[in-house]
Amino acid sequence: MVNKGAAHTKACCVVAAKLAERGWRVLHRGTAYQLRDIDDTPVTPEQAKTIIAERYTVPEDIRRRRRSKKTKGRAPQQALDGHASQRSQRQPRRPSLPSSIPAAPSHVKPDLTPIST
């Protein structure tokens, strides 16, 4: 994900899917979650932190490159000038044309069968 420059949302979705899969496996097996190395060897939490720091931490130069260049908050939006003045100068709308859909036919007989109770 780091090399390709994936968006934050996409990266979060990938991680969430992986965590959900792990949770499902733990519930399905009925056993406690066990930290393991990439070789499937059980490790302690301290060893796992060391492995993560060595192999899976994003280098600072890549973090710097991927960060936003904005100084504060969102970028300002440009105001569109002239909208208010154009509204006052507009001509009224033309009336709608008559509907091209024909009315329901009047030769249909109503249903007059008595309702039995």
Side-chain angles (χ1 to χ4, degrees):
M1 291 272 168
V2 175
N3 297 332
K4 296 178 185 177
H8 177 76
T9 305
K10 180 179 179 182
C12 286
C13 289
V14 169
V15 171
K18 195 71 170 174
L19 288 174
E21 184 180 345
R22 285 183 188 176
W24 180 84
R25 280 192 208 148
V26 167
L27 291 173
H28 184 69
R29 289 182 192 157
T31 59
Y33 182 73
Q34 199 174 47
L35 295 172
R36 294 181 176 262
D37 192 3
I38 57 171
D39 302 327
D40 208 29
T41 308
V43 294
T44 64
E46 291 78 24
Q47 291 171 327
K49 287 180 183 180
T50 306
I51 292 169
I52 292 168
E54 291 172 356
R55 297 184 188 170
Y56 303 109
T57 302
V58 179
E60 188 58 37
D61 62 327
I62 293 178
R63 284 181 184 270
R64 224 178 292 115
R65 255 186 299 160
R66 302 269 187 239
R67 283 192 187 125
S68 175
K69 306 293 189 257
K70 293 183 215 170
T71 57
K72 196 173 194 180
R74 294 179 61 191
Q77 302 293 320
Q78 291 183 351
L80 300 175
D81 296 331
H83 281 275
S85 62
Q86 287 178 359
R87 268 191 222 129
S88 62
Q89 295 174 359
R90 275 192 206 155
Q91 296 187 6
R93 294 181 67 184
R94 291 180 286 161
S96 301
L97 296 174
S99 177
S100 60
I101 302 172
S106 60
H107 63 275
V108 177
K109 295 180 182 177
D111 186 16
L112 299 175
T113 56
I115 300 174
S116 60
T117 56

